[in-house]
Amino acid sequence: MSTNKDSIMIVAGTRPEAIKIAPLIWWLDKLGVDYIFIWSGQHYDYEMSKIFFEQLRLPEPDEYLDVGAQAQDVAQQVALLIQRLVSTIKRRNPKIIYALGDTNTTLAAALASVYTAKPFVHDEAGMRSFDPSMLEENNRKMADAIANFRLAPTKIAVLNLLYEGAPPHTIKLVGSAVVDALLYVISHKLLKEEILNTYELKPSQYLVFTVHRRENLTDKKLYQITSLLTEMSNKLPNYKMIFPVHPHTRKRLEETGLLKTLSFCNNIVLTAPLGYFEFITLIKEARVVVTDSGGVQEEAFILGKRIITLRKITEWPETFILGYNHLTDLNDINEAIDIIIKSVEAPEPIPPQLSTCPLGDGNTGQRVAKLLQKIAETNIERESKGDGYPLPRLTTSIKDLALCFKNGLPFVYESSEECTNKLCVSRENLTQEEMFQIVKTDWSMIDKILGL
Ligand code: UD1
Ligand code: UDP
């Protein structure tokens, strides 16, 4: 059944949002559901926005809010985003507003929904790094607090929401749409040789490196990152490091004079940000991935790569729990180098099976499109309390699961009795297979549970 034009407003504005909303847009189009698509322009360079529209078949946005290049700082960016979104919402009068993730665009969409009394659907709900110094952690918590519907990518995200007191009927387990986008790319004939030849790389003989998080761009962290890269370059002379540089990182590396240092290392390949097809091909053929990106951790995990995450914490704990991901916050470069070298030397892990993959099964876009269609057809209002859909039952009954934390990382136990101390529980006694059993999701059940 088709809904009125303008009934669902989709708000996005950064590279990861362009990638992750693509599967939703494909499915809304396939189902004949109308929507209005707003691009905030938080990311505005061709390599950070338009290229993904072209490669992932995104339509021209109905409105382009053009905030990116105009804002001087985060506060002004968020203020501009809210002002422009509020006036667009008032003019377009949608029934519901949808946004994904943890960017300033996401937060502004959530707040604009409050100021215009519109119901808000937050996708990627329940992701937590438990690091309040990250802008993104604050953005996603606020968006979750405001949301009427919380679409969670993982079982752990559902549990995080429940532990914070979100009403169960507002939470839906849907998976992460990055799995859909990734499958779309690898189902195409990848121009593997052409891409590897462009950068003079050989399969499995290089590492992919990305860094862009604000907290990693201080002078101190940039010096540490540069030391890490030059050490990697010395200690792994038979490997190349390909580093597609985010525009913010490039600006900061130029300001600190470190870009020059890096450009002198002949096995470090610095490039502009890459298109999705090119970037996924590089990950697929890489030996190891070193990153601080959320999306790249997900993709490297799905492709069965070893990941070294340049943070002390991750909002994708499944990748860590299952042994694919190592965390290092760069304060000990020798330790970080050691982990990287060990990862390069270790055999490649087996990629997770999609039917039970903790991050999704590739059907998230379809699931979210159908849920949005249902929500738009229901007469809900921002103030309404009880109009959700029933909580998707998980593979294990929710009341039997216990979520525990060790060093800030959540762990889920099958039975709450097993978890005696809810604040600090060791995972030493669990085998990797047992851990997989705990985080894996039986996606074949989910659509039935959601009534889709
Ligand atoms: C944002 C998100 C972050 C996400 C990242 C994806 C927030 C708080 N953070 O961070 O969660 O991981 O996007 O890449 O929203 N710039 C350009 N051209 C562009 C875009 C950015 O030159 O097209 C430069 C500008 O100098 C800008 C800086 O990058 O000031 C930072 O951009 P911004 O969108 O504020 O944050 P990101 O670091 O990209
Ligand atoms: N990506 C890309 N080209 C690049 C670097 C990243 O297409 O040069 C993609 C990557 O595959 C992932 C997404 O961008 O899907 C991640 O975006 P980013 O790292 O900017 O943000 P985060 O996921 O950390 O929010």
Side-chain angles (χ1 to χ4, degrees):
M1 198 194 303
S2 158
T3 49
N4 293 333
K5 175 82 183 156
D6 295 3
S7 60
I8 301 168
M9 180 179 277
I10 295 171
V11 181
T14 65
R15 168 166 73 184
E17 288 162 274
I19 294 165
K20 288 176 173 178
I21 60 154
L24 165 63
I25 301 259
W26 304 333
W27 273 98
L28 288 173
D29 286 342
K30 214 179 262 191
L31 296 169
V33 179
D34 283 324
Y35 55 88
I36 169 168
F37 172 30
I38 308 292
W39 185 257
S40 74
Q42 180 178 338
H43 284 179
Y44 47 90
D45 290 346
Y46 173 79
E47 297 86 2
M48 296 299 287
S49 52
K50 195 80 200 283
I51 192 167
F52 301 102
F53 284 54
E54 291 167 3
Q55 292 193 339
L56 296 174
R57 298 189 285 112
L58 285 173
E60 277 295 311
D62 293 289
E63 303 220 12
Y64 178 64
L65 305 184
D66 195 20
V67 296
Q70 298 182 32
Q72 299 302 311
D73 55 29
V74 175
Q76 201 181 43
Q77 188 184 59
V78 176
L80 269 174
L81 279 162
I82 296 170
Q83 276 173 0
R84 291 184 188 180
L85 278 169
V86 165
S87 76
T88 309
I89 294 167
K90 283 185 177 160
R91 197 161 19 81
R92 297 277 189 165
N93 196 25
K95 274 179 93 176
I96 56 168
I97 295 164
Y98 165 98
L100 171 148
D102 53 21
T103 67
N104 291 336
T105 297
T106 319
L107 172 65
L111 286 169
S113 79
V114 176
Y115 302 150
T116 53
K118 298 289 181 189
F120 179 62
V121 182
H122 184 217
D123 199 346
E124 274 201 1
M127 303 306 292
R128 296 290 179 266
S129 67
F130 304 98
D131 178 357
S133 71
M134 288 173 75
L135 269 184
E136 288 79 7
E137 180 75 355
N138 294 286
N139 286 351
R140 56 188 163 228
K141 281 173 84 173
M142 287 188 271
D144 279 341
I146 287 167
N148 289 54
F149 291 92
R150 302 168 173 94
L151 311 187
T154 63
K155 269 164 75 175
I156 289 185
V158 171
L159 288 165
N160 287 337
L161 290 165
L162 292 172
Y163 273 78
E164 286 175 9
H169 67 267
T170 68
I171 305 167
K172 325 285 160 223
L173 179 60
V174 295
S176 168
V178 94
V179 183
D180 307 33
L182 184 65
L183 293 181
Y184 171 77
V185 171
I186 57 179
S187 73
H188 282 67
K189 198 171 161 284
L190 293 172
L191 303 171
K192 178 177 135 185
E193 264 154 43
E194 199 179 312
I195 292 162
L196 295 190
N197 286 344
T198 305
Y199 301 105
E200 299 178 5
L201 302 170
K202 293 198 184 87
S204 293
Q205 286 299 115
Y206 66 91
L207 290 80
V208 172
F209 191 96
T210 79
V211 63
H212 73 280
R213 294 296 179 143
R214 218 162 260 271
E215 55 277 15
N216 273 338
L217 301 186
T218 59
D219 286 4
K220 183 178 168 208
K221 285 283 176 195
L222 284 174
Y223 278 98
Q224 288 171 332
I225 286 163
T226 306
S227 304
L228 179 71
L229 274 162
T230 47
E231 275 296 290
M232 280 164 66
S233 156
N234 289 334
K235 297 221 161 115
L236 294 167
N238 298 326
Y239 289 85
K240 286 197 170 179
M241 331 296 153
I242 179 150
F243 180 6
V245 190
H246 184 290
H248 199 193
T249 312
R250 179 170 292 274
K251 187 169 149 208
R252 294 287 300 124
L253 284 171
E254 278 167 357
E255 281 167 3
T256 47
L258 293 168
L259 198 60
K260 232 184 202 156
T261 313
L262 291 177
S263 63
F264 288 137
C265 300
N266 58 10
N267 55 345
I268 295 180
V269 185
L270 301 170
T271 73
L274 299 173
Y276 199 49
F277 278 70
E278 291 79 1
F279 190 73
I280 293 302
T281 307
L282 286 181
I283 296 206
K284 195 160 175 285
E285 302 302 327
R287 185 81 195 120
V288 159
V289 175
V290 185
T291 191
D292 66 356
S293 158
V296 177
Q297 287 175 66
E298 287 182 81
E299 289 156 347
F301 168 74
I302 307 285
L303 292 170
K305 299 290 160 183
R306 292 196 186 278
I307 311 148
I308 290 90
T309 296
L310 304 176
R311 302 200 213 151
K312 53 179 186 289
I313 208 96
T314 178
E315 65 278 17
W316 295 102
E318 299 79 4
T319 60
F320 173 86
I321 292 170
L322 295 176
Y324 292 66
N325 200 350
H326 295 267
L327 306 177
T328 169
D329 67 0
L330 288 169
N331 284 329
D332 185 345
I333 297 291
N334 289 334
E335 186 198 76
I337 288 285
D338 203 42
I339 296 171
I340 292 170
I341 292 176
K342 281 198 178 116
S343 303
V344 166
E345 287 167 352
E348 272 209 348
I350 300 163
Q353 257 186 13
L354 273 186
S355 57
T356 54
C357 172
L359 306 191
D361 61 348
N363 293 320
T364 297
Q366 180 178 8
R367 234 167 248 137
V368 175
K370 288 181 175 171
L371 276 172
L372 287 187
Q373 185 178 25
K374 264 182 149 186
I375 295 168
E377 285 166 5
T378 316
N379 258 340
I380 53 155
E381 288 170 12
R382 175 100 241 122
E383 297 75 18
S384 104
K385 290 204 170 59
D387 279 341
Y389 295 98
L391 172 76
R393 276 175 52 80
L394 305 172
T395 44
T396 317
S397 156
I398 196 88
K399 66 176 167 22
D400 293 328
L401 287 172
L403 180 67
C404 313
F405 296 92
K406 185 178 160 86
N407 300 330
L409 280 168
F411 297 104
V412 190
Y413 281 76
E414 286 286 329
S415 154
S416 47
E417 270 103 77
E418 274 178 52
C419 172
T420 45
N421 177 352
K422 291 230 163 73
L423 285 176
C424 182
V425 174
S426 159
R427 70 190 175 96
E428 264 90 77
N429 300 332
L430 290 173
T431 63
Q432 191 155 320
E433 181 49 33
E434 283 168 333
M435 283 189 250
F436 186 63
Q437 292 306 322
I438 287 165
V439 294
K440 83 173 183 187
T441 304
D442 182 354
W443 292 103
S444 67
M445 315 270 294
I446 300 297
D447 294 336
K448 232 192 241 164
I449 292 158
L450 290 171
L452 299 175

